[in-house]
């Protein structure tokens, strides 16, 4: 080989590179298939894409329900501190929006020079080269993979694009499997929670217990940050009757306005995607309001919220259906609790009536007969001391009869305010004639 002559091509090198790429792709497939947790799967996808295409930064933008913007943004290569300094995650403007309008792979040599470039926010690391690939779950686009900054400083190649497209296909399957597993797992947890409610039917439950069980289990199953129950009072006002995750708001009175009233009036589930307007719940960024019937037919709403602003992917239709069914089961429990309280109150009233009847028909009559006997004895008594003692005994019997009659009145009217009557009676008892 003469000086300056380029080295001869190594026929084994392309085959070796291809083999290494295939091994990397297989390793990436195995990595993203290793988890059945949706969030962990998404994080594995971006990490695998970074290794596979040798990219410094990778992000997976999850589309919202409309498919017109990004509802969630999972990143790789940017620390939590950097992400906080950059500010809110992108929603799909600029070069990122290319795949929203046309779900096909896109490669760009320099992002800043592209006609669709939207610029970078302050504190954003510099980025030039770009590769975007859609991720499909079934027949729809679930999100997009965005790769920037090839580690060797060059552009992303055809081989990079092919590898990431293959990864995106496997990622779609992995995401679908993880979501199906999550759906099955949540359904199982809903069944367990419902079974717990049914077990509660077999024992005495009170209203507070039923409401607290509703908030605790709904928050746990949905992995939310807060859950609370709002009920209409007899005077029409709204009140937070139970809360889990934010116990300080329990007992708070709410104005009859906004989404809660819509839920109560229309009986429809309402999604709050721009935060909750309740004092003490400013940290809740997205929530769902599910209607249910409270005790005695009162209107009620169950609010389940999270700190994340990504409500579109946090709660799916199956969860809403399960949540409404669970709330209905708890409503049955509350009706049962109210019925138990009513029966207990009726039993107490029946006991009061029985005791009052016994006092009136038995005790008072015997005391009255004893008083008459003593009065008859007074007329036959000769000793003045004996006469005085008999008169005192008759007076005590009269006072006892008056007290028993007052007790009978109190037993017969347990819900009336008898304190004023008692005070008047005391004044009359203590009154003395005046000149």
């Amino acid at each position: 080989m003469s000086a300056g002559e380029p080295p001869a091509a190594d026929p084994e090198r392309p085959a070796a590179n291809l083999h290494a790429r295939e091994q990397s792709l297989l390793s990436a497939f195995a990595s993203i298939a290793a988890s059945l947790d949706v969030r962990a799967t998404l994080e594995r996808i971006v990490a695998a894409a970074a290794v596979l295409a040798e990219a410094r930064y990778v992000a997976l933008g999850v589309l919202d329900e409309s498919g017109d913007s990004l509802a969630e943004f999972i990143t790789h290569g940017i620390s939590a501190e950097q992400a906080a300094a950059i500010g809110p995650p992108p929603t799909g403007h600029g070069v990122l929006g290319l795949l929203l309008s046309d779900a096909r792979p896109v490669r760009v040599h320099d992002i800043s020079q592209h006609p669709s470039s939207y610029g970078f926010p302050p504190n954003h690391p510099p980025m030039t080269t770009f590769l975007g690939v859609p991720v499909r779950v079934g027949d729809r686009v679930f999100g997009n993979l965005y790769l920037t900054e090839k580690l060797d400083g060059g552009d992303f190649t055809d081989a990079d694009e092919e590898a990431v497209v293959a990864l995106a296909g496997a990622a779609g399957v992995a995401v679908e499997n993880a979501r199906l597993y999550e759906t099955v797992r949540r359904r199982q947890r809903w069944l367990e929670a419902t079974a717990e409610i049914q077990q509660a039917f077999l024992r005495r439950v009170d209203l507070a217990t039923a409401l607290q069980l509703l908030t605790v289990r709904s928050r746990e199953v949905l992995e939310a940050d807060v859950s609370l129950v709002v009920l209409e009072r007899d005077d029409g006002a709204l009140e937070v009757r139970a809360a889990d995750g934010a116990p300080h708001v329990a007992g708070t009175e709410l104005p009859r306005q906004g989404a809660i009233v819509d839920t109560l009036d229309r009986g429809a589930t309402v999604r709050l995607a721009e935060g909750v307007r309740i004092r003490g719940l400013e940290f809740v960024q997205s929530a769902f309001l599910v209607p249910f019937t409270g005790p005695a037919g009162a209107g009620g709403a169950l609010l389940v919220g999270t700190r994340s602003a990504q409500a579109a992917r946090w709660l799916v239709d199956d969860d809403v259906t399960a949540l409404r069914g669970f709330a209905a089961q708890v409503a049955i429990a509350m009706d049962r609790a109210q019925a138990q309280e009513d029966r207990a109150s009726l039993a107490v009233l029946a006991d009061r009536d029985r005791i009052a009847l016994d006092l009136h028909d038995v005790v008072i009559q015997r005391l009255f007969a004893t008083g008459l006997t003593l009065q008859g004895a007074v007329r036959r008594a000769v000793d003045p001391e004996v006469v005085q003692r008999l008169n005192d005994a008759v007076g005590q019997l009269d006072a006892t009869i008056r007290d028993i009659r007052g007790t009978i009145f109190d037993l017969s009217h347990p819900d009336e305010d008898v304190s004023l009557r008692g005070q008047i009676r005391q004044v009359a008892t203590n009154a003395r004639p005046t000149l």
Side-chain angles (χ1 to χ4, degrees), residues 256-297:
R256 290 191 63 87
Q257 62 185 22
I260 294 180
V261 176
D262 291 341
T263 301
L264 296 175
D265 292 345
R266 297 191 291 112
T269 300
V270 176
R271 187 181 74 188
L272 304 176
E274 298 180 356
V276 175
R277 305 292 185 265
I278 297 177
R279 183 181 297 275
L281 294 181
E282 291 82 3
F283 65 91
V284 177
Q285 298 302 311
S286 60
F288 280 81
L289 279 165
V290 179
F292 71 97
T293 303

Side-chain angles (χ1 to χ4, degrees), residues 201-278:
F201 289 171
L202 302 178
R203 60 182 185 272
R204 183 180 180 84
V205 293
D206 54 39
L207 179 58
T209 299
L211 293 178
Q212 194 62 32
L213 185 61
L214 172 57
T215 58
V216 171
R217 292 295 175 263
S218 58
R219 188 182 69 84
E220 289 178 349
V221 173
L222 296 175
E223 299 176 353
D225 294 308
V226 64
S227 177
L228 55 90
V229 171
V230 178
L231 290 181
E232 286 183 309
R233 297 194 313 223
D234 293 339
D235 59 3
L238 303 179
E239 181 182 353
V240 179
R241 295 291 298 275
D244 188 56
H248 57 280
V249 302
T252 302
E253 185 174 324
L254 305 178
R256 290 191 63 87
Q257 62 185 22
I260 294 180
V261 176
D262 291 341
T263 301
L264 296 175
D265 292 345
R266 297 191 291 112
T269 300
V270 176
R271 187 181 74 188
L272 304 176
E274 298 180 356
V276 175
R277 305 292 185 265
I278 297 177

